[in-house]
Amino acid sequence: MDDQELINIFRENRLKVTTQRLAICKFIVSRADHPSADQIYHALKTDYPTISLGTIYKTLGLLEELGLIQKLRFNESSIRYDPDMELHINMVCSKCGKIYDYKADNVKKMWDSIILDLGFKPKRQRIDIYYECDDCKEIES
Ligand SMILES: [Zn+2]
Ligand SMILES: [Zn+2]
């Protein structure tokens, strides 16, 4: 998604386009590692010294309402943001919390058969698989 597309979406929804909002949007849509608001804040604060965590939360909330990102809540202290709205599995390391997306034809096939069985199309879905990533496995051994 380029700047103009984002600006258009904001304008269509009568939302103000600010440089900070745009920077947050561009950051989150370019990431596949499901960052937290804190991580986004730390990544952007060098270039945008006046940015606040509040602005980040507010902007992420708007993007979620617009259907551009998903909010993945893991527990009270861990909320991550995912810009991929298509069907996929979130592969979550249960130790360090690292997340990557798993997408494959077999997931789509499995999902199609579940929907056929349910008899309705779900509004949205979230599939998480927990595992231990290579980095965390190494620390143990
Ligand atoms: Zn994901
Ligand atoms: Zn890990």
Side-chain angles (χ1 to χ4, degrees):
M1 207 180 305
D2 63 23
D3 281 20
Q4 199 51 53
E5 275 177 89
L6 281 169
I7 291 169
N8 289 343
I9 294 171
F10 268 71
R11 295 228 168 106
E12 276 162 26
N13 289 279
R14 295 171 194 279
L15 295 166
K16 226 179 8 171
V17 185
T18 66
T19 7
Q20 290 192 354
R21 269 189 185 170
L22 210 56
I24 298 164
C25 296
K26 278 167 70 175
F27 184 83
I28 184 71
V29 300
S30 72
R31 296 291 287 250
D33 61 344
H34 310 63
S36 67
D38 238 32
Q39 284 171 320
I40 299 171
Y41 173 67
H42 286 292
L44 292 178
K45 114 181 144 173
T46 323
D47 287 340
Y48 302 89
T50 59
I51 210 161
S52 71
L53 202 50
T55 305
I56 308 241
Y57 276 116
K58 210 172 158 202
T59 306
L60 291 170
L62 291 173
L63 293 175
E64 193 195 355
E65 275 172 40
L66 293 172
L68 295 175
I69 61 169
Q70 302 186 55
K71 183 178 181 175
L72 306 179
R73 183 185 288 274
F74 290 95
N75 56 49
E76 277 316 305
S77 60
S78 175
I79 295 170
R80 310 275 289 265
Y81 295 88
D82 188 349
D84 193 337
M85 300 300 281
E86 281 173 27
L87 176 71
H88 68 270
I89 296 177
N90 295 307
M91 299 295 300
V92 188
C93 174
S94 55
K95 284 256 165 86
C96 68
K98 192 168 13 195
I99 307 174
Y100 76 90
D101 288 335
Y102 173 82
K103 270 188 179 180
D105 278 350
N106 55 10
V107 178
K108 178 141 190 359
K109 269 188 210 140
M110 174 197 78
W111 192 246
D112 285 345
S113 78
I114 290 173
I115 289 176
L116 202 67
D117 228 38
L118 290 172
F120 63 85
K121 202 171 177 331
K123 280 179 150 177
R124 51 195 208 139
Q125 74 288 322
R126 171 178 166 183
I127 314 169
D128 298 338
I129 287 181
Y130 290 85
Y131 76 116
E132 226 165 86
C133 77
D134 289 344
D135 295 341
C136 291
K137 256 192 241 156
E138 253 169 52
I139 295 167
E140 241 171 44
S141 54

